[in-house]
């Protein structure tokens, strides 16, 4: 399948399914969000693995610095899971996330990778998440670095304003806010992975 792509007025790229799956691989900083999770935790980074056609899945790793209860400080941890590809609809990839931990395995989340864009060489992306038993619906703006330029954010806003569903979701929960990234080391002695071995 061809790897060529075109851009719309917002800088979002029109990609084939295979190109989309390749381009989403790697680590993305959550730069802005309206999910309550990122109001209390910080340093959110999402890492997507290689898509495997045989299983229809890819690995999904959420790294964060988690606020401990009772003023006990912070701890770096990871939430490990996998995303099962559902379909491509109107140029958007739809997935269902399932955790791999003993408790997380029974939790699923339907989410959509709306777009990947490039603004003057700065790569960005937009994702949305449907409501679950434990979380509200919401959205994330991704970047390959902890911050996005004004130009990139302007392109994202243009994309959102031209998509009624995106505009609705990003206006929820009080709207989008900046996530905190303070570059705490990810490999200190407090680091813990929430995981059990799962065959992909």
């Amino acid at each position: 399948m061809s790897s060529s792509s075109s851009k719309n007025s917002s800088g979002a790229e029109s990609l084939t399914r295979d190109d989309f799956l390749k381009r989403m691989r790697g680590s993305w900083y959550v730069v802005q969000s309206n999910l309550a999770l990122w109001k209390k935790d910080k340093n959110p980074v999402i890492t997507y693995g290689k898509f495997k056609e045989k299983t229809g899945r890819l690995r999904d790793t959420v790294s964060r610095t988690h606020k401990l209860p009772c003023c006990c400080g912070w701890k770096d941890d990871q939430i490990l899971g996998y995303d099962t590809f559902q379909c491509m609809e109107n140029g958007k990839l739809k997935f269902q996330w399932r955790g791999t931990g003993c408790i997380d395995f029974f939790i699923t989340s339907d989410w959509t990778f709306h777009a990947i864009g490039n603004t003057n060489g700065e790569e960005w992306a937009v994702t949305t998440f449907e409501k679950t038993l434990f979380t509200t619906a919401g959205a994330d703006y991704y970047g390959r670095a902890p911050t996005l330029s004004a130009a990139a954010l302007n392109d994202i806003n243009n994309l959102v304003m031209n998509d009624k569903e995106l505009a609705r979701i990003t206006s929820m929960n009080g709207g989008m806010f900046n996530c905190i990234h303070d570059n705490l080391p990810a490999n200190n002695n407090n680091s813990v992975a929430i995981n059990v071995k799962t065959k992909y």
Side-chain angles (χ1 to χ4, degrees):
M1 209 173 270
S2 172
S3 61
S4 62
S5 66
S6 59
K7 295 182 181 181
N8 61 27
S9 58
S10 70
E13 300 187 38
S14 298
L15 299 167
T16 65
R17 188 204 74 140
D18 290 349
D19 287 341
F20 209 140
L21 288 166
K22 289 176 183 177
R23 289 283 302 280
M24 66 181 281
R25 284 178 61 184
S27 295
W28 296 89
Y29 290 85
V30 183
V31 179
Q32 290 191 0
S33 181
N34 64 352
L35 294 170
L37 172 67
W38 302 133
K39 283 188 175 180
K40 62 180 182 178
D41 291 343
K42 58 185 179 179
N43 301 318
V45 178
I46 317 297
T47 302
Y48 301 109
K50 182 179 180 180
F51 180 73
K52 297 183 178 181
E53 289 286 355
K54 186 175 181 180
T55 61
R57 296 174 176 173
L58 55 90
R59 291 181 182 272
D60 182 311
T61 303
V62 179
S63 302
R64 63 180 179 172
T65 303
H66 178 59
K67 189 172 185 179
L68 300 173
C70 303
C71 302
C72 293
W74 300 84
K75 177 181 282 189
D76 293 342
D77 69 13
Q78 293 181 325
I79 301 171
L80 306 183
Y82 58 84
D83 297 310
T84 301
F85 177 72
Q86 304 294 301
C87 66
M88 186 171 190
E89 186 177 285
N90 298 322
K92 306 168 185 178
L93 298 188
K94 293 184 176 291
F95 295 92
Q96 183 177 81
W97 177 89
R98 183 182 293 275
T100 61
C102 297
I103 297 175
D104 294 335
F105 181 78
F106 298 99
I107 301 172
T108 61
S109 174
D110 294 319
W111 67 281
T112 302
F113 210 120
H114 282 261
I116 293 177
N118 192 305
T119 303
N120 302 323
E122 184 179 10
E123 198 169 33
W124 52 264
V126 177
T127 58
T128 60
F129 305 86
E130 295 183 21
K131 182 179 179 180
T132 72
L133 288 173
F134 307 99
T135 60
T136 62
D140 285 340
Y141 296 166
Y142 292 169
R144 294 294 190 180
T147 60
L148 287 167
S149 67
L153 287 171
N154 184 64
D155 279 348
I156 292 174
N157 288 332
N158 286 336
L159 174 72
V160 170
M161 287 189 296
N162 286 287
D163 186 312
K164 290 183 179 180
E165 182 65 7
L166 265 181
R168 182 186 69 82
I169 295 174
T170 56
S171 67
M172 297 174 66
N173 311 320
M176 306 297 288
F177 58 85
N178 291 322
C179 298
I180 298 174
H181 289 277
D182 57 12
N183 298 320
L184 290 178
N187 58 350
N188 61 32
N189 292 331
N190 287 330
S191 182
V192 59
I194 305 170
N195 180 40
V196 294
K197 290 184 178 180
T198 299
K199 189 173 182 180
Y200 285 84

